[in-house]
């Protein structure tokens, strides 16, 4: 009972979402640069419906863990969390999200299954005991700040809503950066924190996000070692776990090594967003003895030619 305390009421929970329709795979839709803004918009609106306020619950990160889409939630007020739990328990949140996804994605129906967890506790097993659920959520403090990608999507949604009220036709143009096929490469805008540097062969380089040019050079030059690089990257990238790498090898076997390597790095960029940096790729290349390719990506070869 925090009523008499001046400390803010803060808690965290994870909402697990899965479509019961085999043809609708939520993580794949969220990983698609074209569909991501639509899925995000549906999530945002449904959560606002559940608390009665746009800021009632904060999304910190959306994780893609096939077949689930996992939304990390942060609550800053006990009453908002209580409203959310009531909406969840009564099935209103589920219905709202199904409707918003249907509208956003222009689909006939998007049937969902939901699960709510706080730490090791499955809240679905104790929904009738609201105070206990609140206690579990309050006990779990958020372990991260809001993901940069979420902030970017929020900004796009705001500009979309503002422009829709002025001119419906402008909205699409204003959100073009999120709908464009190049979304896997996050915008190199000022929203980034100050750039960090890393050392390669005794030289200092500015760490930056991977570019389409890096992507193509990597795919062209990595050759048969693309799998080994993938396994180095997978250490801190869950989207590249072993089955994924093996599946890419099979799926793009006919297209050859370039396409296999291209798809590998695409998965890395899409899942890691602004954390898909040149430093991480260079470290993976070094680990596998691909020094020449690392030099190529850092522009060392062209510097020597000047």
């Amino acid at each position: 009972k925090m009523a008499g305390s001046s400390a803010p009421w803060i808690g965290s929970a994870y909402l697990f979402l899965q479509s019961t329709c085999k043809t609708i795979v939520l993580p794949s839709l969220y990983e698609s640069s074209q569909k991501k803004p639509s899925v995000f918009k549906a999530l945002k609106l449904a959560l606002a419906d559940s608390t009665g306020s746009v800021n009632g619950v904060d999304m910190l990160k959306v994780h893609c863990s096939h077949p689930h889409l996992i939304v990390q939630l942060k609550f800053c007020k006990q009453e908002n969390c209580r409203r959310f739990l009531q909406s969840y328990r009564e099935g209103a949140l589920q219905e709202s999200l199904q409707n918003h996804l249907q509208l956003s994605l222009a689909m006939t129906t998007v049937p969902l299954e939901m699960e709510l967890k706080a730490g090791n506790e499955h809240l679905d097993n104790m929904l009738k005991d609201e105070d206990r659920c609140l206690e579990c959520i309050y006990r779990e403090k958020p372990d991260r700040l809001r993901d940069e990608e979420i902030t970017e999507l929020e900004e796009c949604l705001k500009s979309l809503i503002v422009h829709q009220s002025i001119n419906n036709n402008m909205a699409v143009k204003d959100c073009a950066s999120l709908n464009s096929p190049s979304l896997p490469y996050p915008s190199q805008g000022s929203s980034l924190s100050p750039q960090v540097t890393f050392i390669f062969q005794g030289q200092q380089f500015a760490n930056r996000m991977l570019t389409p040019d890096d992507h193509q050079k990597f795919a062209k030059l990595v050759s048969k070692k693309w799998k080994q690089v993938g396994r180095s990257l997978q250490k801190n990238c869950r989207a590249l776990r072993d089955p994924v790498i093996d599946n890419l090898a099979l799926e793009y076997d006919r297209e050859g090594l370039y396409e296999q390597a291209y798809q590998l790095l695409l998965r890395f960029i899409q899942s890691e967003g602004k954390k898909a940096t040149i430093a991480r790729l260079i470290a993976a290349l070094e680990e596998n003895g691909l020094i020449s390719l690392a030099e190529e990506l850092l522009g060392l070869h062209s510097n020597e030619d000047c």
Side-chain angles (χ1 to χ4, degrees):
K1 309 290 182 195
M2 300 292 295
S5 170
S6 59
W9 194 98
I10 292 174
S12 178
Y14 285 88
L15 182 63
F16 287 68
L17 305 168
Q18 181 182 356
S19 169
T20 53
C21 174
K22 284 182 182 176
T23 56
I24 300 170
V25 184
L26 289 177
S28 299
L29 288 171
Y30 194 80
E31 284 166 346
S32 151
S33 53
Q34 283 85 0
K35 305 285 187 194
K36 182 177 290 198
S38 302
V39 177
F40 178 79
K41 180 184 175 186
L43 287 168
K44 183 77 180 166
L45 294 175
L47 289 169
D49 289 346
S50 75
T51 58
S53 161
V54 177
N55 302 314
V57 53
D58 197 12
M59 276 189 273
L60 296 182
K61 185 170 175 65
V62 178
H63 305 264
C64 293
S65 178
H66 291 261
H68 291 102
L69 199 63
I70 307 168
V71 188
Q72 188 174 358
L73 303 171
K74 175 187 174 185
F75 298 90
C76 291
K77 286 185 179 174
Q78 186 174 340
E79 56 267 36
N80 286 337
C81 189
R82 197 179 285 280
R83 280 194 208 107
F84 169 85
L85 283 168
Q86 287 165 355
S87 175
Y88 181 84
R89 185 178 66 238
E90 291 160 9
L93 174 64
Q94 183 173 350
E95 192 179 333
S96 173
L97 184 52
Q98 285 177 170
N99 291 339
H100 284 303
L101 282 169
Q102 195 175 324
L103 288 168
S104 290
L105 297 165
M107 290 181 170
T108 49
T109 178
V110 185
L112 293 176
E113 269 181 5
M114 288 185 167
E115 202 179 337
L116 191 62
K117 292 181 186 176
N120 296 323
E121 300 286 354
H122 289 247
L123 302 187
D124 298 74
N125 302 331
M126 56 176 93
L127 286 173
K128 286 180 182 174
D129 189 348
E130 201 171 275
D131 287 334
R132 192 176 161 206
C133 287
L134 284 166
E135 194 179 302
C136 292
I137 291 171
Y138 176 72
R139 214 167 38 226
E140 290 300 313
K141 299 302 179 210
D143 60 354
R144 62 175 302 126
L145 296 172
R146 185 198 282 190
D147 194 67
E148 285 176 336
E149 182 183 63
I150 297 284
T151 305
E152 213 168 81
L153 287 160
E154 289 259 5
E155 288 306 312
C156 176
L157 190 58
K158 276 181 203 163
S159 72
L160 186 67
I161 290 165
V162 168
H163 285 94
Q164 267 177 341
S165 62
I166 301 166
N167 180 342
N168 277 331
N169 298 329
M170 283 172 67
V172 180
K173 291 172 194 164
D174 275 274
C175 225
S177 63
L178 276 171
N179 286 322
S180 70
S182 63
L183 179 72
Y185 311 98
S187 63
Q188 312 257 344
S190 57
S191 61
L192 262 185
S193 51
Q195 291 207 314
V196 209
T197 58
F198 67 101
I199 304 291
F200 174 71
Q201 294 185 337
Q203 277 184 259
Q204 203 170 32
F205 292 88
N207 193 10
R208 57 176 173 76
M209 289 176 284
L210 293 171
T211 65
D213 191 44
D214 298 328
H215 198 163
Q216 287 181 339
K217 278 182 184 172
F218 170 80
K220 201 185 291 179
L221 301 171
V222 72
S223 192
K224 290 178 182 175
K225 283 198 169 181
W226 70 270
K227 270 189 171 186
Q228 287 160 258
V229 175
R231 294 208 165 92
S232 295
L233 289 172
Q234 83 179 180
K235 289 170 192 171
N236 49 14
C237 174
R238 290 183 64 198
L240 292 180
R241 284 173 298 193
D242 272 332
V244 175
I245 295 174
D246 294 336
N247 288 344
L248 287 175
L250 286 171
E251 200 176 334
Y252 297 97
D253 184 40
R254 285 187 180 181
E255 284 89 343
L257 293 171
Y258 174 90
E259 193 59 32
Q260 289 169 326
Y262 187 89
Q263 292 296 329
L264 172 87
L265 202 57
L266 182 63
R267 291 291 167 96
F268 177 67
I269 291 166
Q270 286 178 330
S271 74
E272 295 297 293
K274 291 189 175 182
K275 292 175 189 164
T277 59
I278 190 74
R280 287 174 72 181
L281 182 56
I282 295 298
L285 293 174
E286 270 193 290
E287 198 174 298
N288 293 287
L290 294 163
I291 304 302
S292 179
L293 174 48
E295 290 172 345
E296 183 71 40
L297 290 175
L298 293 172
L300 294 178
H301 287 171
S302 52
N303 289 347
E304 284 164 12
D305 296 340
C306 289

